[in-house]
Amino acid sequence: MEKLREALIKADYTVDGVLEVLGPLAYSALARSESVPALRATTGGSPVETLVRLFLLQQPVDRKAAEAALPVAESLAAELVEVDGDQVRAAIDIRPYGDDDGHDWYLVSDLSGGLHAQGQGHPVREDHVLGVGGASTTLAQLTIRDQFGSALDVGTGGGVQALHLATHVDRVVGTDRNPRALKLARLTQQLSGVGPFDLREGSLFEPVQGEKFDLIVSNPPFVISPDNAAQGGRFVYRDSGLPADEVCRQLISNAHRHLAENGWCQVLANWLHVDGVDWRERVAGWVRETGCDAWVVQREAQDPAEYVELWLRDSGEYGTPDYLRRYDAWLDYFEQNRVNAIGFGWITLHNAGAEHPLLRLEEISHPVEQPLGPHIPSWFARHDFLRDVDDDALMHRKLAVAPDVRWEQLARPTYEGGSGWGTDSSRLSQQEGFLRSADIDPVGAAVVGASDGETPLGEILDAVGERYGIDGQNLRTGAVEAIRGLVEDGYLFPVA
């Protein structure tokens, strides 16, 4: 693989090199699986253009052009390409991949079934290995990037999470029940010049019995479909073979057994919204017995029809003769199980050893700033602080306004009082991370504004109460819950 890696780098088949040859228009179109602009941009015959056409656009290329760009004989022996007379075709997808820190990697996966061009697209095989998608990118952005001794990637697929983990973890273990995924993940590691990864075959935690890790991440095969219940799943990359959302329940409820002290687990998941059952209570049951602090965030909830359409397109079945039958059977399955929506989000566990573990479930559907990973530990740290300090002790603590917080006022014209303007609303907003915003009244705004990290909270409340004609003790009692909420959500933070 070293020879091929050197050839790819020499040809400038990198993230920046591909962007340069395609230009922003074709590059953006290709991200939407539209290949025509990229085909127009790669007619010059240079090595990088040849590699783009071969691997990204799934086009046959002239053998002489291929040999000028990569070692064809070695690639053929490794089953990376196929030779048909004077033409060479890609047998798998090798694409440049990187992160915000400038790493240049190569992610190996099966050829996409969704490239939009005449004659393009490949049927999705049962053991299909997925490339980079929205879910894998979400998990990569969410993952805590502290330095760790060990990490486990459950359901590693082609190895995208393992690549990121290798930048800040000493030992990376990846598990997958799909032997083909492990084969391609090993190619990903070799072509990217990282690792080695410790890759093991098996479902969920079966290959790591008795082992503990500082960090566990997983983008599991969470799709909820009738195929799981009746056939054990059609596509390994998305179907677990377990009914409903059982794979996510098992993953979450057992993760704590493999977490080292102070370890973290970060998982993407789907969960059912069942008639008459609050989704929060359903998912809370997965984490209550783990003994870990848990934060569950629902990012969106799709209705059954949207969900079915998404995954039938994902598997390349849209427009096929079997499309309508599968669509209908999937909706039947949801109706029989009283499913009115399917939630998607993330679950973070922290093995903090708390006597009374934290459990918070919430919806965050507004846009957030990526990456979120750096903001996750501070969220748990603030909740640790609030758990350990009672209301009386809180009055003696010093709080400060987070640097990214802004106070915004919206005024409307009025002639009452002779000022010409009247405050219509007053809000706090965050400019980083979770980008939350919250209404706040003038008294609350005054308390936040006076939180300088040097004055105890009780003294601030007394001074604000005097300014607004409110009894200090009454303000202390009435404001404490709101102040705890402001700390929870990151508008205020404790100063040691």
Side-chain angles (χ1 to χ4, degrees):
M1 287 299 112
E2 185 60 30
K3 211 170 181 182
L4 176 57
R5 171 175 163 76
E6 291 174 358
L8 297 178
I9 294 172
K10 182 180 179 181
D12 201 19
Y13 187 60
T14 61
V15 173
D16 289 342
V18 171
L19 175 58
E20 183 176 351
V21 75
L22 291 183
L25 185 148
Y27 195 86
S28 298
L30 191 57
R32 302 189 300 271
S33 297
E34 297 290 351
S35 61
V36 173
L39 288 168
R40 292 166 58 89
T42 54
T43 59
S46 68
V48 66
E49 290 172 292
T50 297
L51 294 172
V52 168
R53 292 178 78 87
L54 180 65
F55 290 117
L56 301 188
L57 303 180
Q58 303 175 21
Q59 289 285 306
V61 300
D62 179 77
R63 178 160 185 163
K64 288 184 178 179
E67 289 176 339
L70 78 166
V72 171
E74 289 86 345
S75 300
L76 183 62
E79 300 180 329
L80 309 181
V81 300
E82 299 169 348
V83 175
D84 181 11
D86 292 332
Q87 291 189 323
V88 176
R89 294 179 179 272
I92 59 174
D93 186 311
I94 301 175
R95 66 182 53 220
Y97 181 66
D99 64 4
D100 293 336
D101 294 325
H103 292 100
D104 278 319
W105 299 314
Y106 294 101
L107 185 65
V108 181
S109 64
D110 277 315
L111 295 169
S112 168
L115 200 58
H116 300 163
Q118 185 176 1
Q120 298 306 295
H122 294 259
V124 176
R125 48 192 291 167
E126 291 184 3
D127 60 353
H128 180 85
V129 179
L130 198 64
V132 177
S136 54
T137 301
T138 296
L139 181 58
Q141 298 278 11
L142 181 69
T143 300
I144 298 167
R145 297 298 174 199
D146 293 349
Q147 190 67 39
F148 293 110
S150 61
L152 172 64
D153 179 14
V154 179
T156 192
V160 59
Q161 304 305 325
L163 283 176
H164 288 281
L165 292 172
T167 66
H168 64 108
V169 178
D170 297 333
R171 181 173 67 92
V172 178
V173 177
T175 68
D176 206 294
R177 69 189 182 105
N178 182 1
R180 180 169 176 79
L182 298 177
K183 175 184 177 181
L184 298 194
R186 190 165 288 108
L187 289 173
T188 289
Q189 174 259 310
Q190 292 170 344
L191 284 177
S192 299
V194 301
F197 307 147
D198 182 354
L199 300 172
R200 308 180 191 178
E201 183 179 347
S203 179
L204 299 180
F205 298 110
E206 289 176 359
V208 294
Q209 289 300 313
E211 296 182 55
K212 293 182 182 291
F213 300 87
D214 300 311
L215 175 64
I216 297 173
V217 300
S218 183
N219 176 20
F222 52 63
V223 176
I224 301 166
S225 77
D227 295 324
N228 278 320
Q231 304 172 21
R234 294 177 62 223
F235 303 110
V236 181
Y237 77 91
R238 75 175 198 192
D239 299 326
S240 66
L242 297 172
D245 47 17
E246 180 66 9
V247 67
C248 295
R249 187 199 69 79
Q250 288 191 19
L251 179 60
I252 292 300
S253 62
N254 289 299
H256 68 287
R257 307 180 196 280
H258 301 278
L259 279 180
E261 182 180 351
N262 205 37
W264 297 89
C265 174
Q266 298 183 276
V267 174
L268 300 187
N270 270 183
W271 44 77
L272 295 178
H273 288 221
V274 179
D275 290 339
V277 181
D278 190 318
W279 73 266
R280 296 170 185 81
E281 186 56 33
R282 179 183 181 84
V283 179
W286 300 355
V287 299
R288 278 202 182 100
E289 303 305 318
T290 66
C292 295
D293 291 338
W295 184 20
V296 180
V297 175
Q298 179 169 278
R299 289 292 286 153
E300 64 176 318
Q302 290 186 312
D303 67 49
E306 288 180 298
Y307 190 81
V308 172
E309 292 160 13
L310 168 67
W311 291 109
L312 285 176
R313 283 185 170 87
D314 178 80
S315 60
E317 294 176 276
Y318 179 79
T320 65
D322 212 24
Y323 177 76
L324 295 180
R325 185 190 67 79
R326 289 200 175 278
Y327 196 147
D328 193 51
W330 213 325
L331 291 182
D332 277 346
Y333 173 74
F334 284 145
E335 287 181 6
Q336 291 162 8
N337 289 277
R338 300 182 297 112
V339 175
N340 58 58
I342 301 89
F344 170 80
W346 61 69
I347 300 174
T348 302
L349 304 179
H350 185 210
N351 188 24
E355 183 178 355
H356 302 289
L358 162 75
L359 174 57
R360 178 163 170 174
L361 302 96
E362 63 177 319
E363 294 184 59
I364 302 178
S365 57
H366 62 261
V368 296
E369 181 194 47
Q370 298 288 9
L372 281 176
H375 301 276
I376 303 298
S378 61
W379 186 94
F380 280 86
R382 293 194 306 272
H383 283 74
D384 286 344
F385 164 78
L386 292 170
R387 177 170 48 197
D388 295 339
V389 64
D390 62 25
D391 292 349
D392 289 337
L394 183 61
M395 293 300 135
H396 298 282
R397 296 303 299 263
K398 300 171 183 178
L399 304 177
V401 185
D404 67 305
V405 170
R406 302 292 182 266
W407 177 36
E408 303 168 347
Q409 286 184 295
L410 183 65
R412 53 184 169 76
T414 179
Y415 296 100
E416 298 176 9
S419 67
W421 293 98
T423 300
D424 193 45
S425 66
S426 176
R427 298 182 65 80
L428 293 180
S429 65
Q430 297 172 341
Q431 309 303 302
E432 298 175 0
F434 289 92
L435 305 180
R436 297 180 188 266
S437 64
D439 292 332
I440 193 164
D441 62 24
V443 174
V447 172
V448 172
S451 298
D452 55 7
E454 299 179 358
T455 308
L457 175 61
E459 293 182 18
I460 291 175
L461 291 173
D462 290 342
V464 171
E466 183 177 352
R467 185 192 316 170
Y468 284 90
I470 304 171
D471 177 76
Q473 187 57 48
N474 288 340
L475 184 56
R476 287 182 180 220
T477 302
V480 67
E481 183 177 350
I483 289 169
R484 284 182 174 274
L486 291 170
V487 174
E488 283 184 353
D489 289 337
Y491 299 101
L492 296 174
F493 66 93
V495 177

